[in-house]
Amino acid sequence: IYIIYSEISKTRNTSNLEKMKTKNTLVDKILDETLAKLKDFAKPTNKQYQKLLQDLIIESMVKMLETQCYIQVRKEDSSYVSSILKDCEEEFSSLMKKETGRDFNCKLILDEGDSTVNEYGGVRVLSKDKKIILANDLHSRLFLSKEKNLPIIKNMLFPKNQKM
């Protein structure tokens, strides 16, 4: 009897592992499709992407709370980003004054040096001494979101009452 239960258990485990691999493969396929759409979205001339870049910079400034930050972007985004740095500084100061009642300024410098922002766009923000790096690029954000929401994603794609 033990041998029969052992074989049944092995069969179930193998089946469950195959289901998990299939689910993970399907989720990875969705991520690949999303990355392709992100790459298409992140065109330097796309107005929505330009607005997103500005929002990402300001969000990063709030997280960093430094008096000076270096901004790294893809080469194709550097022209646009350099044109909005002053606007970002002003919006950040205004936001901080509104939210905290205190004056807070941050000088932004476009760092066109050793940027590792990937092909999907977004920004990396470095502290004044370049020891703190905040990756606020679209690829990183997508994968953080995936990790955080994976159980929800899997439940949406593969409801418990659905047989696979």
Side-chain angles (χ1 to χ4, degrees), residues 7-67:
E7 287 302 314
I8 291 171
S9 178
K10 282 183 189 177
T11 303
R12 281 187 184 149
N13 286 341
T14 303
S15 174
N16 287 338
L17 284 173
E18 287 302 315
K19 285 181 188 179
M20 286 173 43
K21 285 179 187 177
T22 301
K23 288 178 181 180
N24 287 337
T25 300
L26 291 171
V27 169
D28 288 343
K29 183 179 177 191
I30 290 169
L31 282 174
D32 290 341
E33 291 171 6
T34 304
L35 283 172
K37 289 180 181 180
L38 272 179
K39 197 173 185 180
D40 189 48
F41 169 77
K43 301 272 192 257
T45 56
N46 179 348
K47 296 292 183 196
Q48 291 175 314
Y49 176 62
Q50 290 176 349
K51 173 70 173 127
L52 178 62
L53 276 175
Q54 187 168 351
D55 292 344
L56 291 173
I57 291 170
I58 294 165
E59 176 187 72
S60 299
M61 293 169 76
V62 170
K63 287 182 179 181
M64 296 288 277
L65 284 179
E66 294 278 331
T67 56

Side-chain angles (χ1 to χ4, degrees), residues 139-157:
H139 185 268
S140 297
R141 289 178 71 106
L142 176 66
F143 278 86
L144 282 172
S145 179
K146 175 211 168 203
E147 293 302 315
K148 180 180 176 186
N149 297 302
L150 192 57
I152 296 167
I153 293 168
K154 284 187 175 182
N155 284 335
M156 288 173 60
L157 294 172

Side-chain angles (χ1 to χ4, degrees), residues 68-138:
Q68 178 180 313
C69 290
Y70 291 93
I71 305 292
Q72 293 180 342
V73 295
R74 303 176 303 177
K75 282 188 181 15
E76 57 264 42
D77 294 334
S78 64
S79 175
Y80 173 73
V81 169
S82 66
S83 74
I84 64 164
L85 290 181
K86 272 285 184 230
D87 294 338
C88 290
E89 290 171 359
E90 290 169 7
E91 190 172 333
F92 169 74
S93 293
S94 174
L95 176 69
M96 294 303 288
K97 179 71 170 178
K98 178 183 165 199
E99 295 298 321
T100 67
R102 295 178 41 211
D103 291 325
F104 204 96
N105 297 311
C106 177
K107 173 78 175 135
L108 296 176
I109 301 168
L110 186 61
D111 181 6
E112 298 184 73
D114 191 28
S115 176
T116 56
V117 175
N118 58 52
E119 62 191 310
Y120 303 103
V123 299
R124 282 175 34 125
V125 179
L126 292 78
S127 62
K128 184 176 13 181
D129 60 7
K130 295 188 177 184
K131 291 184 179 178
I132 301 171
I133 301 170
L134 176 64
N136 210 352
D137 60 271
L138 302 183

